[in-house]
């Protein structure tokens, strides 16, 4: 299964959330791979407590500059675990890090072909592959849409998790990301995807902000989210957590954990009850 994490704007805690959702699923026994495809700033290694990756990560692989991707075992190498080692009953948890230097690049035919081959290999090896994309529109989003339109990827179940903060600008940007003439739905349709299926595979996660707004502002934002069609498929709300806001790492308790568990529940259910057979 592929879980694609994305956001219209930065500052949503997308990578922290993706890392923690993967962690929850691995604790439940799933074999999880976190694929860092953030071409702007590949920071998943830091969040997972892993050593800084050497050059030759996922970006070099997709560009044809590396033959095999670098791989880091979270259980064995993360500084957040003492002692190191996979807990009893847990599944594998690995990171394929991005290149530290970053930098976007066009999603040409060769890049897409390499991404398809990588996803096929990872799907054979892992129960779950989290694709951590950079915020906003990027060539990597185009590459993922093109790769998942490949008939060989079609049978693999997938979900999109779109993160946004509880502000007017984030709501407007998220709606545009999904629904405007160059949004995900339109681009997916141009690639041959079924737009209805993509919507059925999309969940929204309201990311942690700096506390709750006043009641009047909260009601105004709720009305706006309803008008923008962002209130219908909310997977979870990540409550403000002071420890998480400052440290940005794997968490085992506190308000954020409940939200991550809720999303993990939805992902587990999606593995058993697919959204459909159309491409998305």
């Amino acid at each position: 299964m592929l879980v694609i994490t994305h956001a219209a704007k930065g500052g949503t805690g997308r990578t922290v959330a993706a890392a923690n959702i993967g962690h929850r699923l691995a604790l439940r026994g799933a074999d999880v791979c976190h694929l860092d495809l953030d071409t702007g700033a590949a920071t998943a290694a830091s969040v997972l407590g892993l050593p800084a990756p050497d050059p030759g990560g996922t970006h070099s692989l997709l560009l044809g500059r590396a033959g095999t991707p670098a791989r880091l075992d979270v259980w064995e190498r993360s500084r957040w675990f003492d002692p190191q080692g996979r807990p009893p009953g847990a599944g594998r948890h690995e990171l394929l890090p991005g290149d530290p230097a970053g930098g976007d690049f066009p999603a040409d035919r060769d890049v897409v072909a390499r991404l398809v081959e990588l996803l096929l290999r990872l799907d054979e090896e892992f129960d779950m592959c989290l694709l951590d994309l950079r915020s906003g529109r990027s060539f990597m989003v185009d590459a993922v849409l093109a790769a998942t339109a490949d008939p060989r990827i079609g049978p693999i179940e997938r979900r999109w998790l779109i993160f946004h903060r509880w502000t007017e600008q984030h709501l407007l940007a998220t709606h545009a990301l999904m629904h405007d003439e160059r949004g995900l739905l339109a681009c997916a349709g141009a690639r041959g995807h079924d737009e209805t299926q993509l919507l059925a595979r999309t969940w929204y996660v309201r990311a942690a902000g700096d506390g709750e707004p006043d009641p009047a502002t909260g009601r105004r934002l709720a009305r706006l989210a309803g008008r923008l069609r962002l209130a219908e498929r909310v997977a979870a709300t990540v409550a403000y957590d002071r420890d998480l806001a400052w440290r940005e790492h794997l968490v085992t308790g506190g308000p954020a954990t409940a939200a991550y568990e809720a999303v993990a529940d939805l992902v587990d259910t999606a593995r058993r009850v697919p959204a459909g057979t159309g491409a998305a």
Side-chain angles (χ1 to χ4, degrees), residues 38-276:
D38 189 335
T39 51
T43 57
S46 173
V47 173
L48 289 164
L50 296 167
D54 296 324
T58 55
H59 309 146
S60 291
L61 175 74
L62 296 179
L63 287 168
R65 299 172 183 167
T68 57
R71 297 171 71 142
L72 299 172
D73 188 311
V74 177
W75 297 124
E76 295 294 336
R77 305 192 64 182
S78 173
R79 66 181 180 272
W80 304 131
F81 304 125
D82 184 22
Q84 269 75 22
R86 191 195 309 182
R92 295 165 57 202
H93 192 189
E94 294 189 10
L95 170 70
L96 271 63
D99 288 80
D104 210 0
F105 48 86
D108 63 28
R109 187 172 301 176
D110 290 336
V111 167
V112 172
R114 294 185 190 107
L115 180 57
V116 168
E117 294 300 327
L118 177 61
L119 295 179
L120 289 172
R121 292 201 305 271
L122 294 176
D123 183 65
E124 290 180 355
E125 188 175 352
F126 293 91
D127 301 311
M128 190 77 52
C129 183
L130 289 159
L131 280 61
D132 189 359
L133 303 180
R134 71 178 297 181
S135 300
R137 294 171 175 84
S138 69
F139 287 127
M140 190 56 68
V141 175
D142 291 337
V144 169
L145 288 171
T148 51
D150 188 290
R152 293 171 294 170
I153 300 292
I156 301 175
E157 188 60 32
R158 67 203 72 103
R159 287 296 186 277
W160 289 75
L161 296 179
I162 309 296
F163 292 81
H164 66 80
R165 294 182 67 173
W166 196 228
T167 70
E168 182 172 337
Q169 63 170 320
H170 273 263
L171 291 172
L172 292 171
T174 302
H175 178 267
L177 176 73
M178 288 299 298
H179 295 284
D180 79 3
E181 62 182 10
R182 291 178 294 173
L184 281 179
L185 292 178
C187 291
R191 295 284 189 179
H193 290 281
D194 185 320
E195 295 179 24
T196 301
Q197 283 293 332
L198 190 146
L199 274 177
R201 288 184 164 104
T202 298
W203 293 319
Y204 298 103
V205 180
R206 176 181 156 189
D210 299 325
E212 290 296 317
D214 63 84
T217 300
R219 290 191 294 271
R220 179 176 60 81
L221 292 174
R223 290 193 296 271
L224 178 61
R227 291 199 303 273
L228 297 178
R229 292 174 284 176
L230 302 180
E232 301 167 1
R233 296 183 59 80
V234 176
T237 297
V238 182
Y240 177 71
D241 185 313
R242 181 178 175 83
D243 181 63
L244 183 64
W246 284 104
R247 298 190 185 179
E248 295 188 331
H249 59 56
L250 298 179
V251 296
T252 56
T257 300
Y260 299 144
E261 286 284 1
V263 179
D265 286 343
L266 286 173
V267 172
D268 274 343
T269 300
R271 292 171 60 196
R272 296 188 295 270
V273 186

Side-chain angles (χ1 to χ4, degrees), residues 23-31 75 85-93:
H23 179 57
R24 311 316 302 174
L25 291 164
L27 283 171
R28 297 179 180 193
D31 291 333
W75 297 124
R86 191 195 309 182
R92 295 165 57 202
H93 192 189

